[in-house]
Amino acid sequence: MKFKRLIILFCFLALSTFCLAADGLEGDAFYAKGQYKEAIASYQSVINGGQQSAALFYNLGNAYFKSGELPSAILYFEKARLLSPGDEDINHNIRFASTRTVDKIEEAPQFFLTKWWNGIVLRFSVDNWAIIAVVTLITASILLITYFFSLKPAIKKVSFFLAIAFL
C-alpha cells in the first residue's frame, strides 16, 4: 500500500515538474519569436508556480528589457545576480540596462572594508560557499577528534586551535 502511494507521489511530482519546465520552454519559444509580452507572462507563471533560478530571472529580465520596461528588467537581473553573483552575463546586462536609465544616479563610493568583503563574498556562488562550509566543518570535526584522542600536548594544542579557527 505504501509503495503504491510512493509511486503515485513520484508520478505527480514528475508531472508537475515537467509542466513547469514546459512553461519555461514556452517562454523561451515566445522570446525567440519576439513575442516579449507572452514570454514575460510565461516566465511569470513559472515563478508563480514556485520555481526560481538565476537563468529564469535572467531570461525574464531580458524579456522585460526587450519590451522596454527597464525598471522591471533591472529588478530581475538583480534577482538573478543574487542567485548567481559571479555570472558575468548577468553583471554585464545590469551595467548595460543601467546605462539606459534616464536618471543617472551616481553610486556612493564604498568603504574599503565593504569593498573587500563584497569581493570575497561575490567571488563564489552559493553552491561553492555550501561546499566550502561543509569541508571546513568536516575538517574542524577531524581536528577535534584529533584533540580528544591525542596523547601529546603539542598536538592537542595545535589541533584544538585549528579546530576553533575552522569552526
Side-chain angles (χ1 to χ4, degrees), residues 35-122:
Q35 299 171 338
Y36 303 119
K37 296 292 184 190
E38 290 83 1
I40 290 169
S42 178
Y43 291 137
Q44 285 289 358
S45 70
V46 173
I47 291 171
N48 293 340
Q51 278 193 319
Q52 292 185 356
S53 71
L56 180 62
F57 288 141
Y58 177 75
N59 290 342
L60 184 56
N62 282 334
Y64 272 121
F65 183 81
K66 292 286 190 172
S67 67
E69 299 180 37
L70 240 44
S72 297
I74 293 173
L75 171 72
Y76 283 102
F77 288 145
E78 291 288 347
K79 285 185 177 189
R81 182 165 61 178
L82 286 175
L83 295 177
S84 181
D87 190 335
E88 192 54 40
D89 289 334
I90 295 170
N91 293 329
H92 172 75
N93 281 9
I94 289 172
R95 287 191 302 271
F96 185 71
S98 296
T99 61
R100 296 286 184 103
T101 58
V102 176
D103 298 330
K104 303 291 186 218
I105 299 172
E106 292 295 323
E107 194 172 316
Q110 290 182 337
F111 185 59
F112 74 97
L113 290 176
T114 306
K115 194 180 228 181
W116 289 351
W117 178 256
N118 288 339
I120 292 169
V121 170
L122 296 178

Side-chain angles (χ1 to χ4, degrees), residues 15 24 26 30 34 36 77 96 108 114 152 166:
L15 181 63
E26 184 178 273
F30 282 133
Y36 303 119
F77 288 145
F96 185 71
T114 306
K152 296 184 180 182
F166 275 95

Side-chain angles (χ1 to χ4, degrees), residues 141-159:
S141 300
I142 290 170
L143 287 167
L144 281 176
I145 290 170
T146 304
Y147 166 75
F148 284 121
F149 291 111
S150 177
L151 298 176
K152 296 184 180 182
I155 293 176
K156 279 181 135 350
K157 286 179 185 178
V158 169
S159 63

Side-chain angles (χ1 to χ4, degrees), residues 19 45 52 54 80 138 160:
C19 291
S45 70
Q52 292 185 356
I138 290 171
F160 177 77

